[in-house]
Amino acid sequence: MKTTTKLSILHGATNQFLYSSLSKALSSASNSKQLLLIHSKIITLGLENSSFFSGKLISKYAQFKDPNSSFSVFHQVSPSANVYQWNSIIRALTHNGLFSKALAFYSQMRKLDVLPDKCTFPSVINSCAALVDIEIGQVVHQNVLKMDLSSDLYVGNALVDMYARFGCLDEALKMFDGMPERDVVSWNSLISGYSANGYWAEALGIYRMARIEGIVPDSFTVSSVLPACGGLVNVKEGELVHCLVEKIGLHNDVVVSNGLLSMYFKFNRLVDARKIFDEMVVRDTVTWNTLICGYSQMELYKESTVLFMRMVNKFKPDLLTITSVLRACGHLHDLEFGKFIHEYMKKSGFQSDVTADNILIDMYAKCGDLPASREVFDRMVCRDSVSWNSMINCYIKYVNYDEALKLAKSMKVDLNVDSITCVMLLSISTQLAEKDLGKEIHCDVVKLGFDSDLIVNNSMVDMYAKCGLLSESLKIFENMKTRDRVTWNTIIAACVQSGDFTSGLRMINQMRTEGVIPDVATVLGILPMCSFISSKRQGKEIHGCIFRFGFETDVPTGNALIEMYSKCGSLKNSTQVFDHMKVRDVVTWTAMISAYGMYGEGSKALRAFEDMKATGVIPDHVAFVAIIYACSHSGLVEEGLACFDQMQKDYNLEPSIEHYACVVDLLSRSGLISKAEKFINSMPLKPDASLWGSLLSACRSSGNIEVAERVAEHILELKSNDTGYYVLASNVYASLGKWEQVRTIRKSIKARGLKKDPGCSWIEIKRRLYVFGTGDKFFEQFEEVNKLLGIISGLMAKEGYVADLRYVLHDVEEDEKRDLLCAHSERLAIAFGLLNTEPGAPLQIMKNLRVCGDCHTVTKYISMIMQREILVRDANRFHLFKDGTCSCGDHW
């Protein structure tokens, strides 16, 4: 008996030692080979069915990423009623990412009536979270509640994490609040959930609560809080978290350092980000990705490509890094490096996904290699709407509209076009001013249900306006349920471009009524309208808005104000705006030079031109047009020719047809008719109607009949679509009394479907605009105006005025010719102004065409007789009539 007892004790001790030794060996196994040897030993000893060793083996194989061996061990002991073995296999599968199989084992376990315990649920809940399977997750949660395990810390943490990953943050918070015990993992799960779902302010709020509760953050806490600081651009909070990282010694954790790196890039603090990177002891692929992407996002594209070359020497980049560098190549237009990256992708075995291919298409297009873009597109197995839109956009960018439209048709076969496609196709119609194409796209927009899309509607408003269908633009605008500032800017610009200033002013008032705050684009849309109708009052109101909204330092706005005031008859205001501008570009100087030119201040224009060059601003083509024009309207022939010579000699600028036209005008306006004709004939460019038109206008004014007839023939031969040149030729023949030629030209105009712009003048009195057409008899106070003009005619005759009947372009009797001259629109506007303003008050008249010679003479007489200053803006320039003289010096 004693012997048996001793043997039993000895056997027990031996088993205990054996179990202990095998358990230690299992725990210390560092690779699969060692584990297999231990597994063999367990089988040899007949312990393979031991719940303890089978569970340990399942877990250990899982640790070495060998779930098949874990399966094998489990199947040897199944069917098992031991919960430990089930827990081991479920945990093993979860750790190896086999979440669906883990849930299948949980389901099988329940069918076999094996009761789960608190160690089962964390793995099962994690699998539900990973699969984002809300339905099963809720079922598992019910199982937890039934078994009264929700108070367990680890189960509770898993449930908080699961609901957070589902985006069910209310449920996560409810679960968290109901936990009787919490640890740092509990807080981390909640903070991470809010941060990952973009609720950064809430994530920071929970983090602060954790700190108040005395929780010491770990690397997981910090890695969830840092994105929240970055997302909110909360620099102060971010710096505090960084200080805490240093204090508790987390700065060597690569995940934390990567988080700090990303945060500082979001703060646009490159120096701090670079310092974090340089001080990192350990760097991984994420580190380099963050750095390269950060540089690229900060538009430091060259630096990001240099960093990429450093990275590939130590790490293999992932597709995120590759695509970031490809984007940088596109921005740099570096085709060579872009091709190198593309080849690197191929050689390194990267499988391009749709996003990477889309970026390749864009990169090649930006680098000017359209065939390479198409090659990438054609070899794509799977294309999304971005792929199609990128390729269509490439063709639009390179003005290959036909190919873009073909591709759009092919896209419709492959998948539905989206709103972006519609916007791009509308841009083609806008560029081509092709209304039929625009209407076709509009039909597609309605069919596809994009007619309520704000951006699409804005594009259609613009498209119809550019196609000359303002009524359609207004119709779409009125039907829009939602409008943004772009909508208002677009419709205002549409009205201005179409010349419908009444609708334009109505839109401005409506915009103001609806409380829409204008931006710089609004101002730049409105000011040209004020310029055209010469509404200085409206212009000044806009100028007040510019100050109120703080746009006065914007250079394009200042430039537009200079132009507006100069065209509204206030050179003084233009000069004041110019003088107050701290920054001036070539457009600023050009606008001021042009303003001086319009008022016949040629010497001031030349001084401004020299000042511009002295400040280091290099004149461009437009600046030279402005200065030669200014010289032309002041009779500064030699100075104007010197400026023309400077273009090529000093600035290597090739003169365009506009510059040659200005020189012809310069010579013609100063009476150098034969020199102007010789200049045209010696030009390297083929002269167009504008050049011959300038010469013909001067011939008519000077009475040079021989050259006038020759030039008129040139104009008629060119068959221009500009009615003005035909009218000019017709006027010359009319002044020569050649009525047969006049009739022939008028028939030609009618046959070609061209229309002559009717002459009109307007004047603004007491915030109201009055418009008068030539021969107009249907306006208020017509009788009074007609009577006043009769009185003025008598007074002028006493002063020596004789009507110049050459400016009557109809084959009628002399008395009727005088009546026709008296009915010119500017005379009606002047007489109306005299009747409706205080004696001695200056008048400002606007005219859409050039003032005729007789009206120019008459206005001189009126200024002297009525003792009024009369400022007249015609199609060419401003004329200031005072005491019987004009500021133009008869250069107009």
Side-chain angles (χ1 to χ4, degrees), residues 223-258:
S223 61
S224 296
V225 171
L226 289 173
C229 297
L232 292 169
V233 196
N234 190 331
V235 178
K236 186 179 178 182
E237 193 76 48
E239 286 176 336
L240 286 172
V241 175
H242 188 179
C243 289
L244 184 65
V245 164
E246 296 293 335
K247 185 178 178 180
I248 60 179
L250 294 174
H251 54 279
N252 289 329
D253 186 293
V254 70
V255 176
V256 171
S257 293
N258 289 343

Side-chain angles (χ1 to χ4, degrees), residues 784-796:
E784 293 92 330
V785 166
N786 204 33
K787 185 179 177 182
L788 178 60
L789 285 173
I791 294 167
I792 290 171
S793 292
L795 293 170
M796 289 194 301

Side-chain angles (χ1 to χ4, degrees), residues 856 859-861 863-864 870 879-889:
H856 191 265
T859 311
K860 287 184 191 176
Y861 276 105
S863 71
M864 178 182 69
I870 305 172
H879 305 258
L880 179 60
F881 297 93
K882 186 179 179 182
D883 298 326
T885 62
C886 179
S887 61
C888 74

Side-chain angles (χ1 to χ4, degrees), residues 625-642:
V625 167
I627 190 61
I628 300 168
Y629 165 91
C631 292
S632 172
H633 285 271
S634 297
L636 302 172
V637 178
E638 295 304 320
E639 292 86 345
L641 291 172

Side-chain angles (χ1 to χ4, degrees), residues 483 488 509-516:
R483 301 177 188 131
W488 288 99
N509 291 332
Q510 192 178 334
M511 181 183 183
R512 189 181 298 163
T513 303
E514 292 188 19
V516 180

